[in-house]
């Protein structure tokens, strides 16, 4: 029986791929790995124990009962504080960024932005959810507090990014700018094993993923592109097939493996769309580009957008390059109508 390489071994082996390699980024990824295992354990118990309820409720010991996304936030935060490489975080679950004001962390070189449990409304119905993370070098002086500039860096400056998908199996997929690698969790030994080395997205595919319930609100270019996806044309393998889970990580992961396009566009009511630039779109865009996919707001690469706010939203289009090119043509053609 062959023994697969573990995530820990892979990180040690690829140490030189990490910018400013001093083992810090490896330690940081180990913290994420540990937190992912704990969150995975809790998610697997959803339905058995009361971890899906709303926060604000006290349990019998008089403790606050936490929703699983709050719980995941605490687990990731605590795992990152414990190591000292990270001086601060921003999270979907925190209104403001958090400075890790202790002796060790103050000298940490990295900041992390995360969505600790994306798609958490899917937990109650046993559907895949994910954790998304984005890692930057700090720009504020070492030893002092972090500031907003640390967190509003352009996506191109990410040094690593990834996601954990808690699905039919649990996987951790990440990039440090040297390809995209996927590790599947083996719960029997408690280890992530290399299962998908150097992932690349097919140049084209048959899947389009969008919440079509919002069709009436979509920009005309998106509506026309959807009709194009549904038309019959043998030369381009159409009609395509529609797949939408409602968990960005799971929808992206499937399209990455099979080829496809994911769209969460702007609407008249929500001119910036729904998804968050800093901890949802930027990390997914970094992975996408590393895997040969494209990720844009319909016009410009996500990774080139200059963030202005921590919880900023952005229209999001990502997927196989040939499908993205066609979607862009439709958007440009029907821009002003
Ligand atoms: P969340 O961060 O509140 O979980 O919202 C993000 C999620 C994404 O995972 C998913 O792609 C999208 O929201 C689904 O939104 P909708 O239900 O509007 O289709
Ligand atoms: Mg989210």
């Amino acid at each position: 029986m062959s023994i697969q390489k573990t995530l820990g071994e892979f990180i040690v082996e690829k140490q030189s791929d990490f910018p400013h390699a001093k083992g810090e980024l490896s330690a940081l990824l180990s913290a994420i790995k540990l937190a992912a295992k704990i969150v995975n354990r809790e998610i697997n118990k959803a339905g058995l124990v009361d971890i899906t309820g709303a926060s604000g409720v006290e349990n019998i010991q008089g403790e606050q009962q936490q929703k699983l996304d709050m719980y995941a936030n605490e687990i990731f935060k605590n795992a990152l504080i414990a190591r000292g490489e990270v001086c601060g975080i921003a999270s979907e679950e925190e209104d403001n960024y958090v400075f890790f004001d202790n002796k060790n962390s103050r000298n940490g070189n990295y900041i992390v932005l995360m969505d600790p449990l994306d798609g958490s409304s899917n937990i109650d119905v046993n559907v895949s959810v994910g954790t998304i993370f984005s890692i930057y070098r700090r720009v504020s002086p070492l030893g002092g507090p972090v500031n907003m500039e640390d967190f509003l860096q352009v996506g191109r400056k990410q040094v690593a990014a990834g996601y954990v998908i808690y699905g039919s199996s649990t996987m951790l997929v990440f990039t440090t700018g040297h390809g995209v690698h996927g590790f599947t969790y083996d719960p029997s030994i408690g280890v992530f094993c290399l299962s998908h080395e150097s992932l690349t997205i097919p140049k084209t595919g048959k899947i389009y993923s969008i919440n079509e319930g919002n069709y009436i609100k979509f920009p005309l270019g998106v509506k026309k592109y959807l009709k194009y996806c549904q038309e019959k044309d043998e030369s381009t393998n159409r009609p395509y097939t529609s797949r939408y889970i409602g968990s960005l990580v799971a929808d992206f992961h499937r399209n990455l493996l099979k080829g496809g396009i994911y769209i969460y566009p702007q609407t008249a009511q929500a001119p910036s769309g729904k998804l968050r630039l800093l901890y949802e779109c930027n990390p997914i865009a970094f992975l996408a580009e590393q895997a040969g996919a494209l990720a844009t707001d319909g016009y410009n690469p996500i990774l080139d957008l200059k963030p202005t706010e921590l919880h900023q939203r952005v229209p999001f289009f990502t997927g196989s390059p040939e499908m993205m090119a066609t979607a862009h043509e439709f958007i440009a053609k029907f821009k002003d109508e």
Side-chain angles (χ1 to χ4, degrees):
M1 194 186 109
S2 68
I3 295 187
Q4 280 151 310
K5 196 175 291 173
T6 69
L7 175 55
E9 286 164 355
F10 184 87
I11 288 173
V12 170
E13 193 183 296
K14 300 281 177 185
Q15 188 76 250
S16 58
D17 281 357
F18 297 160
H20 318 284
K22 281 186 280 175
E24 294 170 304
L25 198 53
S26 312
L28 202 171
L29 286 170
S30 293
I32 289 176
K33 183 175 76 177
L34 175 64
K37 288 182 196 177
I38 298 171
V39 170
N40 178 61
R41 185 187 65 198
E42 295 308 307
I43 288 175
N44 281 324
K45 290 190 283 191
L48 284 178
V49 289
D50 192 13
I51 46 175
T52 52
S55 60
V57 178
E58 276 184 5
N59 69 13
I60 200 148
Q61 288 97 26
E63 296 162 338
Q64 278 283 311
Q65 222 162 53
Q66 300 199 322
K67 274 166 71 177
L68 206 44
D69 41 11
M70 295 296 290
Y71 176 84
N73 189 53
E74 290 306 310
I75 296 295
F76 276 92
K77 201 161 67 173
N78 291 339
L80 293 170
I81 291 176
R83 301 278 175 147
E85 284 81 22
V86 176
C87 52
I89 59 134
S91 161
E92 183 175 320
E93 302 301 333
E94 308 271 352
D95 290 345
N96 299 308
Y97 61 76
V98 181
F99 170 42
F100 290 171
D101 191 6
N102 65 66
K103 200 163 155 261
N104 263 343
S105 306
R106 226 177 287 140
N107 288 307
N109 276 313
Y110 295 93
I111 62 113
V112 175
L113 295 117
M114 62 181 179
D115 183 350
L117 212 54
D118 186 57
S120 50
S121 61
N122 279 328
I123 293 171
D124 297 7
V125 290
N126 219 334
V127 170
S128 300
V129 290
T131 295
I132 315 175
F133 59 91
S134 167
I135 304 172
Y136 293 81
R137 301 266 309 173
R138 74 188 296 175
V139 290
S140 55
L142 209 62
V146 288
N147 61 44
M148 196 56 110
E149 245 188 278
D150 289 313
F151 297 94
L152 297 186
Q153 297 186 58
V154 67
R156 256 326 136 210
K157 295 238 155 137
Q158 288 172 100
V159 294
Y163 57 78
V164 184
I165 175 168
Y166 310 95
S168 43
S169 63
T170 293
M171 274 188 77
L172 193 152
V173 177
F174 80 97
T175 184
T176 55
H178 297 266
V180 175
H181 310 292
F183 298 80
T184 302
Y185 186 58
D186 181 343
S188 66
I189 50 173
V191 169
F192 283 98
C193 296
L194 180 61
S195 53
H196 297 70
E197 192 166 5
S198 301
L199 275 167
T200 49
I201 194 165
K203 289 209 173 341
T204 191
K206 271 186 75 73
I207 297 171
Y208 69 97
S209 314
I210 187 166
N211 186 343
E212 268 181 289
N214 295 328
Y215 182 86
I216 201 81
K217 303 184 219 160
F218 290 155
L220 188 59
V222 172
K223 286 182 177 165
K224 295 273 187 192
Y225 177 67
L226 292 180
K227 285 296 155 212
Y228 166 89
C229 293
Q230 293 159 359
E231 278 161 15
K232 187 166 166 53
D233 177 54
E234 277 174 22
S235 69
T236 50
N237 224 356
R238 284 179 291 144
Y240 297 155
T241 190
S242 166
R243 290 284 181 273
Y244 189 73
I245 296 168
S247 271
L248 172 62
V249 169
D251 281 308
F252 176 78
H253 185 71
R254 182 204 51 241
N255 292 358
L256 174 62
L257 297 181
K258 294 194 161 186
I261 187 167
Y262 173 95
I263 304 176
Y264 208 111
Q266 67 278 38
T267 62
Q269 294 82 348
S272 302
K274 175 184 182 187
L275 300 179
R276 267 57 59 109
L277 173 59
L278 293 182
Y279 42 78
E280 292 176 331
C281 302
N282 264 340
I284 296 289
F286 190 17
L287 290 159
E289 287 200 5
Q290 283 293 315
L294 296 179
T296 71
D297 62 359
Y299 301 94
N300 304 302
I302 290 292
L303 295 181
D304 291 335
L305 303 178
K306 177 73 190 112
T308 52
E309 282 170 49
L310 220 44
H311 299 288
Q312 183 174 343
R313 295 173 196 269
V314 72
F316 194 46
F317 298 68
T318 186
S320 295
E322 289 177 10
M323 298 176 88
M324 285 286 287
T326 307
H328 285 156
E329 279 170 29
F330 276 95
I331 291 155
K333 188 167 167 197
F334 297 101
K335 184 171 189 253
D336 299 319
E337 293 181 45

